[in-house]
């Protein structure tokens, strides 16, 4: 049961509690009267007003009992026992036969002529009520038809002399005190129950949230909250757990990026130091006049120029990687036709790729393939992949297949070659910065070491996914999937 339903139920119970309390008070009063009657104490009328009140009580007690018991059994009217049997007499007739008597029967025999006349007039009538009174006696008579039978109630009362009501008042005070204490206890218990009924499903989750928040504040991002009930706290707990997971993942990602940054700095230092060392050595050779002939000086200058180009290429790659990490702020995205963009890139770089030792076969659909991306990034992706295929080829010429299709509302670009491939356990590390499968750090002229890193991050920036796998019998495959751009 959720908290809302518990609150509704508690409000409904709050409505019914006064009814239950009223019934409880009646029960207490009845119990008090029963105890008072069984203790040997009685009540009697000392004047006409008290006689009338007693008469109304007898009227309700008798005729309600008759309606409740079809056989006319009145033996359960214990309330009559409260009346003093010396000063009161009750007789109930059914069709002229006596079915119930109580009290001093002599009071029914000493009737005045006026009482006899009143009794006779009512017995001849189908129903009604008659009163008669004198200074010392009162008479009440009522006739009703109950379930098809005529019942007559006779009540004879002798006015009692004034006496002390100390016993009755004491019993009444005790009953009132007991009722007050019972009601107070009932109110306290019902309030405690309703409060616990609602709060026991509110306080514990709040404490768990507070405890978990404090744990996270202390740096424990592995804390989670278990909440099995489907109530209003469920979305809050789920959101908290998701937040904790994202914070933990964010921290791990930050730690991973920090490690990558340290590794990147170390790798940059290592890879830049190699061409700088060579440049410095050849410059010192020129200064020391080691290259004594024009041919040697030209050779030294060519090496310096080549190493400078390596450094320039490395700096450009690092600059591009930094721009990609900045996102669309540095590399704006727009809608482009992926197929036409690939045709343009292939046409512009065909000669350069052939000179590098790679032949590229392009297959694209005739229909437009709209994606959101950057032509510059797309060209760098293809250049880096073809360059890698040419660099690590085992045949005189690397065969690179570039195949574009549309599948399930997405653009799928697959590029694979006929090279040697990569060991399966190293596939996942190919996109790490400065990772080389041969672990060699000396051949920096072969590349910057971040070409595939740029490919992976460029694909991610274009909202795509990259999958790298070996090709049977040999070769390496790069599958890039991009969402189609529905923008008009």
């Amino acid at each position: 049961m959720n908290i809302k339903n518990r609150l509704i139920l508690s409000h409904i119970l709050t409505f019914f509690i006064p009814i239950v309390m009223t019934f409880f008070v009646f029960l207490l009063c009845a119990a008090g009267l029963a105890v008072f009657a069984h203790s040997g104490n009685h009540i009697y009328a000392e004047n006409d007003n008290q006689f009338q009140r007693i008469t109304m009580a007898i009227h309700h007690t008798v005729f309600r009992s008759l309606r409740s018991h079809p056989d006319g059994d009145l033996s359960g009217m214990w309330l009559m026992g409260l009346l003093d049997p010396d000063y009161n007499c009750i007789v109930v007739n059914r069709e002229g036969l006596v079915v119930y008597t109580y009290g001093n029967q002599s009071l029914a025999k000493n009737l005045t002529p006026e009482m006899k006349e009143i009794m006779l007039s009512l017995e001849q009538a189908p129903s009604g009520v008659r009163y008669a009174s004198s200074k010392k006696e009162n008479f009440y008579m009522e006739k009703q038809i109950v379930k098809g039978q005529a019942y007559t109630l006779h009540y004879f009362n002798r006015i009692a002399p004034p006496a002390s009501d100390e016993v009755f008042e004491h019993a009444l005070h005790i009953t009132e005190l007991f009722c007050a204490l019972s009601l107070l206890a009932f109110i306290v218990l019902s309030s405690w129950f309703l409060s616990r009924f609602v709060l026991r499903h509110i306080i514990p989750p709040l404490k768990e949230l507070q405890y978990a928040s404090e744990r996270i504040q202390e740096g424990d991002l592995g804390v989670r909250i278990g909440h099995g009930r489907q109530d209003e706290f469920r979305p809050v707990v789920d959101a908290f757990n998701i937040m904790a997971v994202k914070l933990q993942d964010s921290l791990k990602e930050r730690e991973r990026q920090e490690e990558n940054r340290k590794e990147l700095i170390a790798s940059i230092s290592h890879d830049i130091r190699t061409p700088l060392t060579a440049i410095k050595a050849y410059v010192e050779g020129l200064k020391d006049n080691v290259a004594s002939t024009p041919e040697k000086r030209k050779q030294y200058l060519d090496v310096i120029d080549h190493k400078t180009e390596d450094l320039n290429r490395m700096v450009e790659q690092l600059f591009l990687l930094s721009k990609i990490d900045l996102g669309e702020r540095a590399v704006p995205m727009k809608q482009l036709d992926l197929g036409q963009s690939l045709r343009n890139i292939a046409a512009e770089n065909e000669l350069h790729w052939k000179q590098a030792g790679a032949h590229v076969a392009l297959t694209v659909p005739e229909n437009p393939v709209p994606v959101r991306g950057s032509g510059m990034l797309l060209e760098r992706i293809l250049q880096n992949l073809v360059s890698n295929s040419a660099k690590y080829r085992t045949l005189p010429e690397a065969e690179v297949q570039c195949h574009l299709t549309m599948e399930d509302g997405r653009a799928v670009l697959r590029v694979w070659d006929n090279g040697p491939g990569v060991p399966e356990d190293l596939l996942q590390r190919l996109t790490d910065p400065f990772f080389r499968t041969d672990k060699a750090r000396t051949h920096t002229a072969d590349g910057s070491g971040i070409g595939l890193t740029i490919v992976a991050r460029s694909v991610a920036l274009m909202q795509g996914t990259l999958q790298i796998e070996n090709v049977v019998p040999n070769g390496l495959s790069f599958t890039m999937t991009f969402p189609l751009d529905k923008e008009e």
Side-chain angles (χ1 to χ4, degrees):
M1 182 184 298
N2 58 29
I3 297 173
K4 177 182 177 182
N5 291 338
R6 287 179 176 273
L7 288 172
I8 293 174
L9 183 57
S10 66
H11 281 84
I12 293 174
L13 291 175
T14 304
F15 173 77
F16 281 105
I17 281 176
I19 300 175
V20 176
M21 291 170 61
T22 303
F23 179 73
F24 184 67
V25 169
F26 279 126
L27 287 180
L28 287 177
C29 291
L33 291 175
V35 171
F36 181 80
H38 287 86
S39 64
N41 298 301
H42 297 91
I43 59 176
Y44 42 79
E46 297 178 353
N47 52 54
D48 290 343
N49 289 333
Q50 293 180 358
F51 168 75
Q52 290 178 6
R53 294 192 185 96
I54 294 174
T55 299
M56 294 306 297
I58 294 173
H59 155 79
H60 288 297
T61 303
V62 170
F63 287 103
R64 286 187 179 180
S65 296
L66 289 174
R67 292 187 183 94
S68 302
H69 299 83
D71 56 354
D73 182 16
L74 300 176
S75 59
M77 295 193 303
W78 59 269
L79 194 60
M80 298 302 181
L82 292 173
L83 298 175
D84 193 312
D86 295 331
Y87 291 90
N88 298 277
C89 176
I90 299 173
V91 179
V92 179
N93 296 333
R94 180 177 61 199
E95 302 292 346
L97 298 176
V98 177
V99 295
Y100 178 79
T101 61
Y102 174 79
N104 188 356
Q105 298 299 314
S106 63
L107 296 177
K109 297 176 182 179
N110 301 324
L111 299 178
T112 64
E114 182 184 3
M115 291 181 181
K116 291 180 181 180
E117 183 179 352
I118 291 174
M119 183 183 297
L120 181 62
S121 65
L122 184 57
E123 286 178 351
Q124 294 174 354
S127 63
V129 177
R130 298 290 186 272
Y131 281 95
S133 62
S134 64
K135 292 183 178 180
K136 293 185 178 181
E137 294 181 345
N138 291 298
F139 170 68
Y140 171 82
M141 181 179 179
E142 181 177 359
K143 188 176 183 181
Q144 283 192 26
I145 304 298
V146 179
K147 297 183 180 179
Q149 299 187 69
Y151 285 88
T152 306
L153 167 64
H154 299 272
Y155 173 42
F156 305 92
N157 171 258
R158 184 170 63 193
I159 300 299
S164 173
D165 295 331
E166 182 179 353
V167 176
F168 181 75
E169 290 179 356
H170 180 68
L172 184 62
H173 290 328
I174 293 177
T175 303
E176 289 176 348
L177 179 61
F178 186 72
C179 287
L181 293 176
S182 300
L183 286 176
L184 180 61
F186 193 86
I187 292 172
V188 171
L189 289 175
S190 60
S191 300
W192 175 83
F193 171 77
L194 292 177
S195 300
R196 180 173 174 77
F197 180 71
V198 176
L199 294 179
R200 70 190 183 97
H201 289 285
I202 296 178
I203 301 300
L206 289 176
K207 288 185 177 179
E208 289 181 6
L209 283 168
Q210 180 184 4
Y211 172 74
S213 301
E214 291 173 352
R215 291 278 300 278
I216 286 182
Q217 186 178 2
E218 293 171 358
D220 182 9
L221 299 181
V223 64
R224 301 291 182 271
I225 300 177
H227 190 74
R229 290 184 294 272
Q230 296 295 329
D231 55 15
E232 287 80 359
F233 277 102
R234 187 70 197 182
V236 178
V237 170
D238 290 343
F240 181 90
N241 289 335
I242 292 173
M243 178 197 69
V245 170
K246 289 186 175 181
L247 283 174
Q248 190 175 35
D249 293 343
S250 176
L251 180 61
K252 290 180 179 179
E253 179 64 19
R254 188 174 68 180
E255 292 175 350
R256 188 186 67 82
Q257 290 178 355
E258 182 65 19
E259 289 297 322
N260 289 341
R261 186 185 67 83
K262 293 178 180 178
E263 183 180 349
L264 183 63
I265 292 174
S267 299
I268 291 174
S269 302
H270 185 282
D271 284 7
I272 288 180
R273 186 184 300 116
T274 301
L276 284 177
T277 302
I279 291 172
K280 182 179 180 181
Y282 281 97
V283 169
E284 289 178 351
L286 288 173
K287 289 172 64 178
D288 295 340
N289 204 25
V290 175
S292 56
T293 65
E295 291 79 8
K296 270 200 171 185
R297 283 196 293 272
K298 182 179 183 304
Q299 181 184 357
Y300 275 39
L301 291 174
D302 288 341
V303 172
I304 293 172
D305 181 63
H306 182 65
K307 295 298 181 181
T308 304
E309 285 296 326
D310 288 345
L311 284 174
N312 184 58
R313 184 174 62 252
M314 188 179 301
V315 171
E316 285 182 355
Q317 293 275 54
L318 289 171
F319 178 66
L320 176 61
L321 186 61
S322 299
K323 289 179 66 176
I324 293 173
D325 288 340
L326 290 174
E328 291 194 37
R329 292 177 298 171
V331 186
M333 298 289 128
K334 64 179 182 178
Q335 188 184 75
L336 51 84
D337 181 357
L338 186 56
Q340 186 59 44
S341 298
L342 290 174
R343 293 190 193 99
N344 295 339
I345 295 170
E348 293 171 1
N349 292 275
E350 181 179 6
L351 180 59
H352 171 70
W353 290 340
K354 185 172 284 294
Q355 291 175 348
H359 175 263
V360 179
L362 180 65
T363 304
V364 298
E366 294 296 330
N367 296 329
V369 183
V371 297
R372 185 169 180 79
S374 166
M376 181 267 291
L377 291 183
L378 186 61
E379 181 174 8
R380 188 54 61 95
I381 289 172
L382 208 56
Q383 284 181 349
N384 287 353
L385 293 179
V386 174
S387 174
N388 270 8
S389 297
K391 187 189 313 176
Y392 296 107
R393 69 184 185 274
T394 54
L395 299 175
E397 187 176 58
E399 292 289 339
V400 181
Q401 302 290 331
C402 182
H403 194 262
L404 175 64
T405 59
M406 286 193 294
E407 301 175 7
D408 299 327
R410 299 177 71 84
V412 180
L413 175 61
R414 186 165 180 258
V415 180
W416 72 95
D417 60 24
N418 59 347
V422 174
E424 290 291 334
D425 58 331
L426 300 179
L427 285 175
Q428 299 301 319
R429 296 199 59 195
L430 287 181
T431 57
D432 291 348
F434 297 101
F435 174 75
R436 291 185 176 87
T437 56
D438 58 0
K439 303 295 182 182
R441 311 288 325 162
T442 56
H443 305 289
T444 57
D446 292 339
S448 63
I450 57 175
L452 293 183
T453 304
I454 291 175
V455 170
R457 297 188 184 181
S458 298
V459 170
L461 185 58
M462 294 171 62
Q463 306 301 316
T465 60
L466 174 65
Q467 182 179 0
I468 307 175
E469 55 190 352
N470 284 311
V471 179
V472 179
N474 60 288
L476 194 61
S477 170
F478 296 82
T479 302
M480 291 156 280
T481 305
F482 302 98
L484 294 179
D485 189 11
K486 303 298 183 182
E487 182 179 276
E488 296 295 335

